[in-house]
Amino acid sequence: MIQGALFWLCWLLSRPLMWWLHFRTTPEQLPAELDIETDKPVCYVLPERSWLDLFALQRICQMRGLPVPKRIGMKLPSADTATFLYLPILLRPERDTDALEALFGEAQSYRGYDVQLVPVSLFWGRQPDKETSLFRILFSDSVGAGRLHKLFIALFNGRNLLAQFSVRVSLREFMAETPRPRHTMRKLARVFHIHFLRVRTATLGPRLVRRPVLIDGILRTSAVRNAIDSEIASSKKDAAAVRKRARRIANEIAANYSTTTLSFLERLMTPVFNRIFRGIDVRNLERVRQLAQTHEIVFTASHRSHLDYLLISYVLYRAGIVPPHIAAGVNLNFWPIGGLLRRGGAFYIRRSIKGDALYTAIFRAYVDMLIARGYSISFYPEGGRSRTGRLLRPKTGLMAMITESALRQRARKVAVVPIYVGYDRVPEGATYARELRGAQKQKESAQGLLKATKVLTKSFGKPYIAFGEPLRLQEFADQQLLGWRDGFGSSAAPVRPDGFNALVSALAQEIMRRINRAAVASPVAVTSVALLAAPQKAVAASDLHAQVALLLRLLQVQPYDPEVALPLTDAAQTLDWAIPIARLSRIPHDWGDILLAEGKQATLLTYYRNNIQHLFAVPSLIASFFRTQAEVPEQQVLDAAEALYPFLRTEFFLRWPDAQSRKILSDTIQRMVELGLLERDGDALVRPDITSAMFPALSMLSRVMGETLERYCMTAVMLSAEARKGPIERKKFEEHCRSLAERIAVLTGRMAPEFFDRALFQGYLDTLIELTLISETEEGAIRVGDNIDELARSALALLSPEAQQTILQLTAHRQPYATPQEQSV
């Protein structure tokens, strides 16, 4: 009786605090996402005894439309009356063993009776444990806090409460597996205990170490001490000066992770994102929440804007998942943003560390520490922001360090989570276009940050963040590198096993493919694909509607991957969203309005097209065979497309291995026939009649990959012309290809700066080497094989007569190319 009176007194006194409470729930859409059945009782399970937690839960349930838990004593809940259960009662039920066992027995005796058990974790302030911090001892949420301590915690953190509701569990299922009530209680206790521990780890992360302690620990590692001794011996510098430099490097690198700063940034960025975006489209977040409970996570995202890392951490934090430590370029370490990002989890890396053994050792030790302590990490495999909108070739330096550290430690499983990041309109779009045209990249600075505030006056549609299929690192290593578990040396003398570099290379390629598999076909991107395929970047509004509808339909009847998302599936809604954001011009006409992209805007649209161009690579390749031919034998299409597929796979990180390409090509042809884009006439494929509605759609689709095929063609034609002149210096040849592409772009009014991106020609030559069509000498020269002439003819056949003429004329009248032998004369 006294306990009950005290409870109600505390309930009454807590009312002002409950009204002051500010909370967030995961999932956000309650009660829909919990899928609670209204005809069955509900019992919330709380991880610890706390009246304040219960009062807060009652307030949350009331405001979110969930059944409100009540005290019902040792009675079974009904469909009309929800209740609650503290986990400690199940863990240590000695005091109430008989009564609780009788209650479970009573529930078991009623046939068909079931209770929906809903685990709920409450986090006041979301502060992880931190070593030797008096502030957190007094005010941070902690397991087992007393009533007075809990009051301090609630008063200080009441405006930052996270309530995490987990999937409901059926009591009847537990009772069916363990017939005896006491066994049911014990099993429930074990399951929920492990569940709450995992949820706490995923939400708060591991214990934080004070930054000075962390830096001292790094400098004391044997690998760093050896590197310091080596530099002292090799440079003959003063030992104190070398140690001072080592500490300066560690201070430059290390993050100063602060959950208080994360909370501040979340509150700061919410109104900013609400102002410039029309919401944030997030996909597959629940898989990350579940994975974080069992794995240490390495996030690998496409890099398209400086907003990427802010958005990813923001989305994770609001979802109740601890944000990662983020690898950032040291160029961002400027006042005032550098320190703020550092406290938000950024650790800095120089653009080039080659040749600096001491820096490499310290950075490697820092990465080892992050992995060993269980911190999640985020980095960008591309190394920098993509100026073209397509994925760049991955850089493997940091990836190799993280992979080695992850495989060395055996205590935790590590999963790599690829993230696709896209935008309806990227804030740096105009800057990217200028840089691709030759403008010098502006160094990040406080002055540039002030100029960037003008984005607050603009609208950028939506950002799209899709978490792709996780890659479990240890399992991937088992498949790619047998015996890797016995192949590493000690931490003092690290030795990578044979084949480790090949493992990292395969990992990098697989990550990029999984990023592309998680692509979001946004309205602006789909509209850009259709509009930029028009010869003059202008098309009748009705035709654009039909072509967008076809692209959407194509993604539905033969999706590139089940992970690919379509925010809108209706062509009219897609265009209504995209036209104002893409700033398309509309020209009224008696026969129907015309939509076009003018000047710089057409260049910017290539960026968004490139985000999802890989989704249409295979159907566009097939459609290209019908640009100049009305009928082609199906076998010929398959043979020629299969020969070109490896180049597309390399450039666009397509998901299917070369060995599966023929089946994918055959399936795509079948889908195109079903859609009316192609017709069958015996063994031949026939394009639609020129007067039919599908003819312009097929023409549009054939031009989606037009620029890519032109690059392949010009490179093959130039290689064919040089084949009989002996070895060709590779770097000079790549520059020659880039110059030719740039000239074609100028002469044809091409609005796609990536058309003459040197990196694309590098990838093309790499693929030719893999296919043994060319070879590379140790001196970096290229030797051309005999089959290059056939490849050049096949590539030319896919182009329009105008494109064929331009390439042949320019290659025939180009400036003479000097071979290595001629250059030495």
Side-chain angles (χ1 to χ4, degrees):
M1 184 178 295
I2 295 176
Q3 184 80 358
L6 183 60
F7 173 87
W8 289 111
L9 177 61
C10 290
W11 180 89
L12 185 63
L13 293 175
S14 70
R15 290 306 86 194
L17 176 60
M18 292 302 107
W19 285 106
W20 179 72
L21 201 67
H22 185 272
F23 62 86
R24 180 179 298 116
T25 64
T26 59
E28 291 186 5
Q29 303 301 321
L30 294 175
E33 292 190 45
L34 284 184
D35 193 27
I36 289 178
E37 299 180 30
T38 57
D39 60 340
K40 292 182 180 180
V42 173
C43 177
Y44 300 97
V45 183
L46 293 167
E48 56 182 328
R49 291 177 182 266
S50 169
W51 286 351
L52 275 175
D53 282 357
L54 174 60
F55 300 155
L57 175 61
Q58 289 174 332
R59 173 72 173 166
I60 292 167
C61 290
Q62 184 180 34
M63 296 188 68
R64 287 290 187 267
L66 290 167
V68 179
K70 299 177 182 178
R71 288 178 54 139
I72 60 173
M74 285 296 176
K75 298 179 183 178
L76 290 176
S78 66
D80 299 326
T81 305
T83 188
F84 61 93
L85 180 67
Y86 295 127
L87 178 62
I89 295 177
L90 293 174
L91 290 173
R92 297 181 296 276
E94 290 81 7
R95 188 180 65 180
D96 299 315
T97 296
D98 294 338
L100 199 59
E101 186 175 353
L103 190 65
F104 273 80
E106 184 182 355
Q108 194 169 17
S109 67
Y110 294 134
R111 180 175 297 180
Y113 182 81
D114 195 8
V115 177
Q116 300 172 94
L117 302 173
V118 180
V120 183
S121 300
L122 297 176
F123 300 98
W124 300 82
R126 298 180 61 181
Q127 296 280 0
D129 295 334
K130 190 168 184 177
E131 296 174 359
T132 63
S133 174
L134 179 61
F135 176 84
R136 282 171 172 76
I137 291 174
L138 293 176
F139 298 111
S140 292
D141 196 6
S142 60
V143 178
R147 290 176 181 172
L148 183 59
H149 187 189
K150 193 74 174 187
L151 179 60
F152 277 114
I153 293 170
L155 286 171
F156 190 80
N157 297 298
R159 303 295 292 175
N160 186 19
L161 173 63
L162 174 70
Q164 187 154 318
F165 291 76
S166 299
V167 178
R168 60 184 173 86
V169 177
S170 169
L171 176 61
R172 172 61 59 180
E173 292 180 5
F174 274 92
M175 292 189 298
E177 295 174 1
T178 53
R180 297 181 61 184
R182 182 165 296 192
H183 291 172
T184 300
M185 292 162 52
R186 290 175 180 173
K187 184 171 183 179
L188 281 171
R190 290 195 302 271
V191 169
F192 283 125
H193 180 64
I194 294 171
H195 168 79
F196 284 125
L197 285 177
R198 287 176 172 176
V199 169
R200 187 173 184 85
T201 300
T203 304
L204 301 184
R207 172 174 293 187
L208 292 178
V209 182
R210 291 189 301 118
R211 191 166 183 267
V213 175
L214 182 149
I215 289 174
D216 288 341
I218 291 172
L219 296 178
R220 285 197 300 269
T221 60
S222 55
V224 173
R225 291 202 310 268
N226 291 342
I228 291 174
D229 293 341
S230 296
E231 179 150 328
I232 293 172
S234 61
S235 64
K236 298 181 180 179
K237 293 181 181 178
D238 179 71
V242 174
R243 293 190 180 94
K244 185 176 180 180
R245 176 173 179 259
R247 183 168 293 275
R248 188 168 61 249
I249 291 171
N251 270 295
E252 176 188 296
I253 293 170
N256 190 20
Y257 198 95
S258 165
T259 52
T260 303
T261 301
L262 288 172
S263 178
F264 166 75
L265 286 173
E266 187 261 339
R267 296 180 184 182
L268 174 68
M269 297 312 298
T270 295
V272 172
F273 290 152
N274 288 341
R275 182 178 182 85
I276 65 177
F277 295 131
R278 303 183 193 176
I280 303 174
D281 190 316
V282 184
R283 309 271 170 163
N284 306 322
L285 187 58
E286 187 58 35
R287 68 166 29 147
V288 180
R289 192 194 321 279
Q290 298 300 322
L291 193 68
Q293 296 178 19
T294 57
H295 287 71
E296 184 176 340
I297 296 180
V298 176
F299 295 98
T300 54
S302 58
H303 200 8
R304 295 192 166 110
S305 169
H306 279 314
L307 292 179
D308 293 350
Y309 30 80
L310 293 175
L311 280 166
I312 292 171
S313 293
Y314 177 83
V315 164
L316 291 172
Y317 185 81
R318 288 180 66 88
I321 302 169
V322 60
H325 282 65
I326 306 165
V330 75
N331 56 303
L332 293 177
N333 190 20
F334 63 89
W335 185 89
I337 198 70
L340 187 63
L341 292 179
R342 193 188 294 277
R343 293 183 68 82
F347 62 96
Y348 294 104
I349 180 172
R350 296 176 184 174
R351 291 298 182 188
S352 176
I353 62 176
K354 188 175 181 180
D356 192 337
L358 180 58
Y359 184 95
T360 301
I362 294 172
F363 191 87
R364 185 190 299 276
Y366 182 72
V367 171
D368 286 344
M369 183 278 303
L370 292 179
I371 296 291
R373 286 186 169 268
Y375 298 116
S376 59
I377 298 176
S378 175
F379 74 100
Y380 299 96
E382 297 165 282
R385 289 169 295 155
S386 171
R387 265 66 177 173
T388 65
R390 65 176 64 198
L391 290 184
L392 306 177
R393 298 176 69 188
K395 297 179 179 177
T396 57
L398 179 55
M399 187 176 295
M401 286 188 186
I402 292 175
T403 302
E404 181 178 354
S405 297
L407 294 180
R408 280 182 183 278
Q409 66 88 21
R410 307 295 168 85
R412 296 178 179 86
K413 294 181 180 179
V414 178
V416 181
V417 176
I419 309 175
Y420 171 89
V421 182
Y423 297 83
D424 277 328
R425 184 179 166 205
V426 70
E428 299 98 323
T431 303
Y432 292 166
R434 288 196 298 270
E435 291 176 9
L436 285 169
R437 287 290 182 185
Q440 187 173 2
K441 178 183 180 295
Q442 296 297 311
K443 185 178 180 180
E444 287 78 4
S445 64
Q447 183 180 5
L449 181 64
L450 290 174
K451 291 181 180 179
T453 57
K454 65 183 180 181
V455 303
L456 297 176
T457 64
K458 301 176 182 179
S459 176
F460 295 91
K462 281 186 179 182
Y464 301 89
I465 301 175
F467 296 91
E469 181 185 0
L471 185 152
R472 288 165 174 78
L473 189 57
Q474 283 85 351
E475 294 178 11
F476 184 81
D478 286 337
Q479 297 169 5
Q480 298 288 328
L481 185 59
L482 297 177
W484 64 267
R485 298 176 190 274
D486 303 320
F488 291 105
S490 66
S491 59
V495 177
R496 292 173 173 176
D498 293 339
F500 179 79
N501 290 338
L503 167 67
V504 172
S505 179
L507 176 64
Q509 293 296 316
E510 183 61 23
I511 287 172
M512 304 310 278
R513 293 189 190 106
R514 294 196 184 199
I515 290 174
N516 265 350
R517 286 171 58 186
V520 179
S522 68
V524 172
V526 174
T527 302
S528 299
V529 170
L531 184 64
L532 294 178
Q536 302 302 322
K537 313 300 181 284
V539 64
S542 58
D543 289 344
L544 184 61
H545 179 280
Q547 292 169 5
V548 167
L550 171 73
L551 294 175
L552 295 173
R553 182 64 178 151
L554 195 58
L555 290 176
Q556 290 172 297
V557 299
Q558 191 187 25
Y560 176 82
D561 189 275
E563 299 279 334
V564 171
L566 277 172
L568 296 174
T569 57
D570 180 76
Q573 292 178 352
T574 298
L575 290 171
D576 288 343
W577 180 276
I579 288 172
I581 296 174
R583 297 181 179 180
L584 302 185
S585 300
R586 183 183 291 270
I587 300 176
H589 194 275
D590 293 341
W591 291 3
D593 292 356
I594 296 173
L595 294 169
L596 74 157
E598 298 180 287
K600 183 177 70 174
Q601 199 56 38
T603 303
L604 295 177
L605 290 186
T606 64
Y607 188 93
Y608 310 110
R609 176 202 63 188
N610 292 348
N611 287 181
I612 64 166
Q613 194 175 13
H614 64 284
L615 302 181
F616 304 102
V618 172
S620 179
L621 173 62
I622 293 169
S624 298
F625 289 91
F626 300 90
R627 294 187 71 176
T628 59
Q629 303 177 80
E631 181 177 329
V632 185
E634 183 170 353
Q635 196 67 26
Q636 180 180 326
V637 172
L638 288 171
D639 291 342
E642 187 178 20
L644 288 169
Y645 176 81
F647 304 107
L648 293 178
R649 184 172 190 250
T650 298
E651 181 171 340
F652 293 99
F653 302 101
L654 299 184
R655 55 168 301 202
W656 305 286
D658 293 347
Q660 296 180 14
S661 62
R662 195 169 188 90
K663 181 181 185 308
I664 296 303
L665 290 163
S666 181
D667 290 345
T668 302
I669 289 173
Q670 180 58 33
R671 298 291 88 76
M672 293 173 71
V673 170
E674 293 171 0
L675 289 172
L677 289 167
L678 294 172
E679 299 172 2
R680 278 198 172 92
D681 183 6
D683 294 334
L685 294 171
V686 182
R687 72 185 182 193
D689 186 84
I690 196 171
T691 60
S692 72
M694 281 299 172
F695 182 83
L698 181 68
S699 298
M700 175 274 297
L701 192 60
S702 71
R703 288 190 289 266
V704 170
M705 301 298 295
E707 293 160 0
T708 299
L709 296 175
E710 286 180 32
R711 277 196 307 273
Y712 295 168
C713 180
M714 71 178 68
T715 308
V717 169
M718 289 179 63
L719 285 171
S720 179
E722 303 292 344
R724 294 159 189 84
K725 294 185 178 181
I728 308 168
E729 186 177 340
R730 175 166 178 166
K731 289 187 177 179
K732 292 285 186 180
F733 181 77
E734 289 172 358
E735 179 57 28
H736 210 54
C737 290
R738 194 206 66 79
S739 297
L740 176 60
E742 185 176 25
R743 188 172 184 84
I744 290 176
V746 172
L747 291 174
T748 59
R750 196 67 53 87
M751 295 294 183
E754 84 280 358
F755 181 67
F756 44 87
D757 185 358
R758 181 172 178 172
L760 298 178
F761 293 104
Q762 292 174 345
Y764 185 50
L765 291 177
D766 287 341
T767 306
L768 287 170
I769 292 171
E770 291 176 11
L771 296 175
T772 67
L773 291 172
I774 64 175
S775 60
E776 186 174 12
T777 66
E778 293 181 358
E779 295 77 21
I782 296 171
R783 294 184 181 276
V784 183
D786 296 333
N787 295 333
I788 203 69
D789 293 339
E790 182 180 348
L791 180 64
R793 285 193 298 270
S794 299
L796 272 172
L798 298 178
L799 305 184
S800 66
E802 296 80 5
Q804 293 180 20
Q805 181 182 353
T806 301
I807 290 174
L808 291 174
Q809 283 186 340
L810 288 177
T811 52
H813 297 90
R814 69 193 184 284
Q815 294 297 318
Y817 178 81
T819 64
Q821 292 88 341
E822 293 169 338
Q823 291 172 4
S824 63
V825 175

